[in-house]
Amino acid sequence: MAADAGAASLSSQRMAPALGPREMEFQMTKATNDAPADQSATPYLEVMPLGGMGEIGKNITVYRYGDEIMVVDGGLAFPDAYQVGIDLIVPRIDYLQQNAELIKGWILTHGHEDHIGGLPYILPRLPRVPVYGAPLTLGLVREKLAEFGLKDGDIDLREADTNAKVKIGTHFGVEFIRMTHSIPDNTGYILTTPVGQVLHTGDFKLDEEPSDGQLSDLGRIEQAGKEGVLLLISDSTNAERPGRTASEAEVARNLESVIANCKGRVFMTTFASNVHRIQNVINIAHRQSRRVVMEGRSMLKYAQVSQGLGYMELPEPFLTNDEVGTLQDQQVLYVCTGSQGQPMSVLSRLAFGNHAKIALRRGDSVILSSNPIPGNEEAVNLVINRLYELGVDVYYPPTYRVHASGHGSQEELATVLNLARPKFFLPWHGEPRHQINHAKLAQTLPRPPKRTLIARNGDVVRLGPDEFKVTGTVPAGAVYVDGLGVGDVSDDVLLDRVNMSQEGLIIMTAVLQPTPHVEIVSRGFVRPNRELDAQIRRVALEAVETGMREKKRLEDVRDDMYGAVRRFVRKVTGRNPVLIPMIVD
């Protein structure tokens, strides 16, 4: 998943010189108008990413042909460090709400949070339409919906295997394609439309040794390429990485080697959704005579859903922490949450000694089988340093090859491009640098796409047999989830939070009767300083008394007090705290 690119300023241009003997052409998009054009008489398809384009996270893509809309995925993203207090980020769906009567169906590619995590916030706000997904994907969606009090009958979930074909409306035919990733039941799809075929890889890597033996269906991609792929939309996450992404089987072998050399208790953390890796660790533990304890809410949730649907098998039942008391340290392996350094996760509480039942000690080993999502590096490093201070043995990449990405590197991306042979190409699922490097890679191949666009969220990409361009924009962006509030925190509120965290807060209350005086309260500004407080009160009071003498409105008096204190504080401290002025008559 994961986190999160800032917006880049991109303008329409032809990129040159060529990479190799031929001209390289790809266009960085700039909308030519502010809205999608009327489709009533023009046979073309519109592709509208509302999330997941130019960023990693909150994936949602909209296709429109005429008076029909089909939607793909509905994910969330996690906040950056500057998004203080925010719990989750979901995509804006204004366009879907404005065109709700046109939505004919929804498809889900897989069960990662950045593809399904936003659905409980999105689906209840739109009409009930068929939502197609593979069994594990829908199992995880049902679990999420239940947490929000939504029942199966509230949402029309329809199971579709990884090679299923479904019809959505009259214009869209969807054929799911099995693609390997870091979660079972992952799919891409071929979308058949009146203008031609669109091939969307979904998240993928071409793992040659997948844990479940289910290889990516490259034969179907090759067949689609021979039939004619008008547009390829492909995963760009690892477009900067040469070669191939390591196989999950290689990670399993490395994990087994590390665990075999651990003398005491083992604590392993990874993404809770990485069902294949957790299954491998369960098998490793069984071979090495260790019993597995699951710790952490999301770990238990994913394990329960996976077991219930037959995607996870247990040689021995999981133990609870209360049941390991009679076992020796070398007989226990904990699988726990905390791969991203989340403050309330099991691993973070262990690292800082805040876990109610478990305490780390010398002789224990901790394995971080993950890489930090961009933005989480500091939190993960903090946990790792604390683990070292406790004297435990710590294993993490890249020193130990105990993790592999779920996304393909350059060689795998090139393989898909060569098999699909698309006329047009839309790099997706990545920050601008990933998209652009993917575009450059495509131009080095024997048969490069005729045109590649670097799109952004909200772009309206018009696609026809001989047309591929951005024609407008629709609303797109972030909706912040903070506690029980959804959308009630804006960027201005976040800016205030950042300013308060960096510069502090001063509240000034001017009481006018019976005698004007000013009281101030400050937090996070400076340590108690009577002289500075008195100076601020004096500056504020002078502004109030001047305004009263001139018979100004109370609003203007308040503004004068604000401006005077702002200038004074900046002059004497060089700081810019958040000021809250109040007048009490």
Side-chain angles (χ1 to χ4, degrees), residues 509-557:
T509 305
V511 180
L512 304 184
Q513 301 296 338
T515 302
H517 65 280
V518 175
E519 298 295 335
I520 69 167
V521 176
S522 67
R523 292 290 183 270
F525 175 48
V526 295
R527 65 185 181 183
N529 186 325
R530 292 183 178 180
E531 181 179 351
L532 180 59
D533 288 352
Q535 291 174 333
I536 294 173
R537 282 197 297 270
R538 183 167 57 251
V539 170
L541 183 59
E542 288 175 357
V544 169
E545 290 176 338
T546 299
M548 297 299 294
R549 284 195 303 271
E550 296 176 359
K551 301 184 184 304
K552 290 185 177 182
R553 297 183 308 155
L554 291 183
E555 293 85 352
D556 294 333
V557 174

Side-chain angles (χ1 to χ4, degrees), residues 89-100:
I89 305 169
V90 296
R92 285 182 61 182
I93 57 168
D94 306 53
Y95 178 79
L96 292 177
Q97 291 176 304
Q98 293 161 8
N99 297 277

Side-chain angles (χ1 to χ4, degrees), residues 346-364:
V346 173
L347 185 60
S348 289
R349 286 185 285 137
L350 289 171
F352 289 94
N354 298 324
H355 197 284
K357 296 183 177 181
I358 311 170
L360 292 174
R361 54 180 179 263
R362 291 185 181 275
D364 290 337

Side-chain angles (χ1 to χ4, degrees), residues 137-182:
T137 304
L138 294 190
L140 295 171
V141 170
R142 287 189 180 95
E143 187 75 18
K144 297 191 72 64
L145 296 177
E147 293 177 6
F148 284 73
L150 298 169
K151 301 177 182 178
D152 273 5
D154 298 330
I155 309 295
D156 184 7
L157 299 179
R158 302 189 184 185
E159 191 171 301
D161 290 333
T162 54
N163 58 356
K165 296 181 180 180
V166 298
K167 185 74 173 176
I168 293 180
T170 59
H171 299 311
F172 301 111
V174 179
E175 179 182 353
F176 290 93
I177 308 173
R178 185 180 63 250
M179 300 293 286
T180 53
H181 188 37
S182 55

Side-chain angles (χ1 to χ4, degrees), residues 431-550:
E431 299 171 359
R433 62 194 178 106
H434 305 125
Q435 294 172 281
I436 292 171
N437 276 289
H438 202 174
K440 290 179 177 179
L441 172 67
Q443 294 301 317
T444 67
L445 302 178
R447 183 174 171 173
K450 182 177 179 181
R451 170 177 270 194
T452 296
L453 292 181
I454 306 299
R456 296 170 291 184
N457 290 331
D459 281 346
V460 179
V461 180
R462 180 188 293 183
L463 178 67
D466 296 299
E467 188 174 23
F468 183 50
K469 63 182 180 181
V470 173
T471 59
T473 59
V474 297
V479 175
Y480 300 119
V481 179
D482 185 358
L484 298 178
V486 180
D488 58 353
V489 174
S490 64
D491 288 333
D492 290 341
V493 173
L494 289 181
L495 182 60
D496 283 342
R497 291 181 179 182
V498 171
N499 288 340
M500 283 189 283
S501 69
Q502 293 177 342
E503 306 282 357
L505 167 72
I506 300 176
I507 301 173
M508 306 168 291
T509 305
V511 180
L512 304 184
Q513 301 296 338
T515 302
H517 65 280
V518 175
E519 298 295 335
I520 69 167
V521 176
S522 67
R523 292 290 183 270
F525 175 48
V526 295
R527 65 185 181 183
N529 186 325
R530 292 183 178 180
E531 181 179 351
L532 180 59
D533 288 352
Q535 291 174 333
I536 294 173
R537 282 197 297 270
R538 183 167 57 251
V539 170
L541 183 59
E542 288 175 357
V544 169
E545 290 176 338
T546 299
M548 297 299 294
R549 284 195 303 271
E550 296 176 359

